[in-house]
Amino acid sequence: MMRRLNMTPVMLYMILHLLQAAWSDPVIPRVVWKYGEVSLFKFSQTGVSNYSTLLLNEDRGVLYVGAREAIFAVKMSNVSYKKYEVYWKVPEKKQKECAAKGKSQETECLNYIRILHEFNNESLYVCGTYAFQPTCDYLSVKDFTLQGKKEEGKGKCPFDPAQRYTSVMVDGELYSGTVYNFLGSETVILRSHLRTEYAIPWLNEPSFVYSDVIRENDNSLDGGDDKVYFFFTEVSVEYEFNSKLLVPRVARVCKSDHGGSRILQKRWTSFLKAKLICTLPESNFIFNVIQDVFILKTPNWKETVFYGVFTSQWSNLEVSAVCTFNMSNVEDVFSEGKYMQSATFEHSHVKWVRYNGQIPMPRPGSCINNEARALNVNSSLMLPDKTLQFVKDHPLIADPVKPIGNRPKLVKKNVNYIQIVVDRVRALDNNSYDVMFVGTDKGLLHKAINYNNEMHIIEELQIFPDPEPVQTLLLSKGDKKYLYAGSHSGVVQAPVAFCEKYKTCTDCILARDPYCAWNSQNKTCIWITKDDNYMSNLMQNLHGSAAVCRTEDVESTSSEEHKVEPRGFQELKCLPVSRLAKVIWMFKNKTLSENSKYRIVQNNLLIFSVTKEDSGTYDCWTVETVKGRLYKQLVKKYSLIVEGQSKVVTTSPTAPFTKMEGNSATTQTSTDKGRTSLHTVTSQIQTDVLTSTVSYTSTSTLATPTFLVPVADTKAVSEPSTAERNDRILLTFLVLITLLFLMLVGYNCYMKYLPSPCLKLRLYVVSDGKKPEFDYDVSEELVKQQCVKINSDNQNSEQIAAGDKGYETESDCGNGKIPNTEKPQELKQIQENHSIGSVDTEKDADIPDIKFIDEEAQSLC
Ligand SMILES: *[C@@H]1O[C@H](CO)[C@@H](O)[C@H](O)[C@H]1NC(C)=O
Ligand SMILES: *[C@@H]1O[C@H](CO)[C@@H](O)[C@H](O)[C@H]1NC(C)=O
């Protein structure tokens, strides 16, 4: 049944897809570096995998790498240079025990290093999953040996290597957020004997992503405490939803918390949590899963901001966002916000509401500060029962933490951001800019910046040969900064900038990369360091104005000479740096358009039927529009010399040719020249760089590449010929076919022969644009439910369950109403025609019947 209509849904899908593409991604990376296009340092060891735990010690110049059953120390300046290694395997007996509990002996019952922290000057603190029996040890830095202490790792390190966790070492004490038992049912935030309650209001299936300490200011007026913050996603208690609704959270505990004396014994008395908000205001799109956090620490914590990467729980639409938050706001929420309170309604239904009643003193959940000391409370052990009982029942704050500017700093479609680091860079204009480095689940790094609410992705860098998640991302602090990324397959070290890859002034400046500046003296794009800041011949413009460059580029490109014989075709390559630029090819200073003679394939120019007349210079130009200004750059210049006798060239327009493109040779005929003529004139661009002023128009059609067509004086390029007339006929033909096709789709859609996307469209058109999706979904659902009900009521044994694919539903529904009609036999006949004999689009006679059943079904169901 689907077979016959195969063509149309596919085409319809394509059209819808194109439409969706036209809604467009607001930001695309300006430059893309594929794997191997820039040099990176790599580290991996044969037989070892899962390099997901990294620790940087810049004083020692070492990067520590925790992998599966091994720990390495590699040079920070070049990770491919290994200094030390130590293996930490699980004894076979333990592996067998683990396997006996139903875990995989080959993968899960191994020792995945999950925690690597500086313990003191001589040793590191290391924990591994140790075949589902988390275990910790100390690693001597000098000789790189494990001390064999085998401490209990429960509550510090996860049991399951696939579980998310977080930990931070603060003044020699480990704070961790992880699973506490083998089954994974108990989760804790823990510091030695102090932990969270096992209660849903405290933690509800959390997935921990990050934790860190924020130190109190030295001259703090309120005598506050250092605080440890935790970031995680958990199942909400405060929203009622028909499935588990996730919420991103920030929680904090105070460093000098020792638990309560009677209530909350060995539990945090300072655990409070709040919701983080990251929403796109104009579409109300909610990013409710937090994936990673980076805290940009400042000497005064009140100026500290942190960056979070978010995705959505409904991951069928891949969208990611970066939101920034103000630490002062977080602390305000914890110290002044209202508490949430659970209330039981009839039928023991629990609802969470804002608590507006009396709050005991000292304020529940706050650190011991001067205010508490004034009440004679000098330690959490002295807190009154009222305060403790209150915080035990009210760990959730009602007020959320809103992002700075009330909107994301970056939103990107079709990616899943899972890691982030941020660098605050001082640019030549003496302002500081926050450069975000975001890692995706497919091994890409995006380097992005937000200029006054304008999102700009400077570069996309592929750091692994095959797509795999960036599991850990670190940034060094030195003068020449590096990024370190850990993954299943290895560790990669990448510089934060690739300035030297920008060969022209315009490209260097339009990159809008605060790390890079154009040195006008020796004409290079350089990575600026602190000392360079004072050099006067450096140029940078982060607003995207490259006006200073304009005169230089034209002269600087020398032409590449090609001597060829008259033959089938010639390919001239052009590799523009920027993906935001459009490519134009010129021959003898005239813009070339695509026709039977010329084709532009992936920016390269193909010339067919090469003859002596084709000798001359070919220029590849790019046009990049930044903030309404056009930048034209000469990327490549060829001088083509066609030699040898000018014999008749054998390529006829219909003869097939083979072109080598990418990894496969494709054979096609050159008769499909009609496709180039589908253009509409949109705007006129004046060229001001060229000596001979050629005016041309930019042309574009929806979702097809843009061609540039000369308006004046096209003669020299291609003479109007029979070929061109053929083009026109072909075009007319194509337009007719398209129209016919659209009519066919329209008709089929109106008649409901097509699946849901079309039905939505139809409903939209027919119902004068009243909320299409919702109505449809609801009505479809109702119809289905009703049909199932009727069907089961009538105990009709031959029934197929209410279908889930398009029009079959209607047949089933027709089935359901049989007992209500006076002539069941006839209807059954009709129904059988449809469900067995397929919906026949060609047979006119069938159409009214379908419609009839359809109407009946609707009135009934
Ligand atoms: C953070 O909040 C504090 C206090 O409200 C304010 O002074 C500061 O400017 C804010 N910082 C940012 C980056 O918004
Ligand atoms: C370990 O690495 C392998 C690939 O080498 C991957 O398939 C697996 O999921 C990784 N396991 C964990 C727990 O990271």
Side-chain angles (χ1 to χ4, degrees), residues 698-715:
S698 144
T699 65
S700 67
T701 52
L702 176 73
T704 57
T706 305
F707 309 116
L708 286 155
V709 180
V711 158
D713 199 19
T714 47
K715 256 190 178 168

Side-chain angles (χ1 to χ4, degrees), residues 302-305 325-329 332 404-405 424:
K302 294 194 173 167
E303 286 155 15
T304 294
V305 297
F325 302 88
N326 190 334
M327 230 5 139
S328 296
N329 293 355
D332 288 350
I404 295 172
R424 188 160 277 180

Side-chain angles (χ1 to χ4, degrees), residues 327-339:
M327 230 5 139
S328 296
N329 293 355
V330 176
E331 220 15 73
D332 288 350
V333 163
F334 287 138
S335 59
E336 288 156 24
K338 296 263 186 201
Y339 298 84

Side-chain angles (χ1 to χ4, degrees), residues 49-50 52 68 112 114 160-162 468 471 488-489:
S49 64
N50 308 85
S52 54
R68 194 169 86 179
Y112 292 80
R114 282 294 177 259
D160 184 341
E468 58 172 321
Q471 291 197 302
H488 293 327
S489 72

